[in-house]
Amino acid sequence: MRRAVCPGSFDPVTNGHIDIVSRASTLFDEVTVAVGVNKSKNRLFTVEERIDMLAEACRDYGNVKIDTFQGLLVDFCKDRGIHAIVKGLRAVSDFDYELQMAQMNSSLVDVETVFIPTTPEYSFLASSLVKEVARFGGDVSSLVPAHVLARLTARLAERRDAEM
Ligand code: PNS
């Protein structure tokens, strides 16, 4: 079986992520979307919330499952018998760091990184920008699924109330 992983923080999942996951699901028999758990980073959503949103966003793709990983991505790949890491490339600026990570990862275990070019309409899209635009009242409804927008709006309102 050809297995692949789509790793990321997914705080929260965007239409750009879904674009990559859906296309990976046509290339591999099984795709695991793996949420990296990094306790030192301040996230807007908990790991459970990010998993819930991903599960909802990916429910139409029968060969996609959601999981989490801590530590090195290559250890997760080794444990699960995964030999391909799928990454979306939005622009040339993504490439330098992604190439370095791909080469480091393949030097550690038997794993290939497969780059999928992001659909142009999502080439500017990043979870961090979605959060920033939404925080200041900008319209991000075309950038995330409706259920993510609802959670994002609610969470930002909670944060605003807590700050007052
Ligand atoms: O969505 P992000 O924040 O760009 O995702 C980054 C992620 C989680 C894919 C990346 O930081 C990662 O692979 N972290 C796991 C730690 C690891 O394996 N580091 C060595 C990379 S060569």
Side-chain angles (χ1 to χ4, degrees), residues 7-10 36 41 43 69 71-74 87 101 104-105:
S9 307
F10 305 105
K41 290 209 176 159
R43 302 293 185 193
F69 75 101
L72 289 179
L73 178 60
V74 289
K87 292 288 190 87
M101 280 202 287
M104 172 61 88
N105 283 331

Side-chain angles (χ1 to χ4, degrees), residues 8 12-13 25 36 42 50 59 63 66 71 81-82 90 94 110 112 124 138 141-142 145 150 153 157 159:
V13 60
S25 77
N42 198 14
R50 285 181 268 156
R59 68 178 182 172
N63 62 340
I66 320 297
I82 293 172
R90 289 167 297 195
D94 280 346
D110 175 23
E112 293 289 351
F124 59 90
S141 58
S142 62
T153 307
R159 290 277 166 104

Side-chain angles (χ1 to χ4, degrees), residues 103-118:
Q103 290 169 332
M104 172 61 88
N105 283 331
S106 72
S107 79
L108 296 171
V109 305
D110 175 23
V111 70
E112 293 289 351
T113 297
V114 176
F115 294 121
I116 298 183
T118 300

